[in-house]
Amino acid sequence: MTRFTQRLSQGFEYVIVFASVIMLGWGVLGFLEYFTGLAPVMPLQNATFPLGMQTLNWIGITASGATFLVGYVLRWRFTPIAMLVMFSALATMCAVQTFDMLETPDRYRNFVQECFNYIIISVYLFRSKRMQDRFGRITFRLRDELSLTND
């Protein structure tokens, strides 16, 4: 890997860590407002979401930020898989919100952008050498290596 791509990969790693901190903070503030009505930064509740959707929204956002940060710090080998599950849940919830609840004119563009971000981050977590060095072998790659040794 060239020095430029190494620095680019390191920069993207830091962007993901920063985004996870933001997600965790956003989720915690969302829960604070949800349970107490107190909005220390700005109102975060969406009036168009039913109570159950709002609850799932804050659980998903908080859990995704926390999952990546804990996995990153502990170098948990299943972090990429856990994040793929989290992103799938968040994208599914976003689809329901986009098509059934939201009324803003840019909701479809925002939905596509969010899904695109999840895809790019997932590819990076699974395919980049930097993430493979951090988290170790990913299970489906291990299966591919085992099939090569059995031939």
Side-chain angles (χ1 to χ4, degrees):
M1 214 171 13
T2 68
R3 185 143 173 83
F4 174 74
T5 54
Q6 287 174 345
R7 292 187 60 88
L8 189 64
S9 183
Q10 182 181 28
F12 194 63
E13 175 182 1
Y14 294 153
V15 166
I16 296 171
V17 170
F18 181 70
S20 296
V21 169
I22 297 295
M23 291 285 281
L24 178 59
W26 181 27
V28 168
L29 288 174
F31 270 127
L32 177 67
E33 182 184 349
Y34 181 75
F35 288 119
T36 68
L38 181 67
V41 179
M42 64 181 177
L44 297 173
Q45 305 306 312
N46 191 322
T48 63
F49 293 176
L51 190 59
M53 179 59 73
Q54 198 71 66
T55 305
L56 291 174
N57 190 52
W58 297 127
I59 290 170
I61 290 168
T62 306
S64 67
T67 298
F68 183 78
L69 292 173
V70 169
Y72 183 82
V73 169
L74 298 178
R75 295 178 177 258
W76 183 42
R77 67 180 287 206
F78 296 109
T79 300
I81 295 167
M83 292 311 299
L84 185 62
V85 171
M86 294 302 306
F87 291 156
S88 298
L90 288 171
T92 301
M93 189 168 46
C94 186
V96 171
Q97 293 167 352
T98 299
F99 294 102
D100 290 344
M101 296 167 202
L102 295 175
E103 298 171 355
T104 58
D106 57 347
R107 65 187 178 269
Y108 301 113
R109 181 188 55 81
N110 291 344
F111 171 67
V112 169
Q113 181 180 357
E114 186 171 333
C115 291
F116 182 75
N117 290 342
Y118 294 151
I119 291 167
I120 294 300
I121 294 169
S122 295
V123 168
Y124 179 76
L125 291 176
F126 279 97
R127 302 290 296 172
S128 75
K129 178 166 181 359
R130 186 170 194 87
M131 292 295 99
Q132 289 174 5
D133 289 347
R134 178 154 200 98
F135 297 121
R137 289 196 167 112
I138 307 300
T139 55
F140 73 84
R141 296 204 65 196
L142 181 60
R143 182 179 50 90
D144 291 343
E145 290 172 10
L146 288 174
S147 68
L148 291 175
T149 60
N150 291 335
D151 292 337

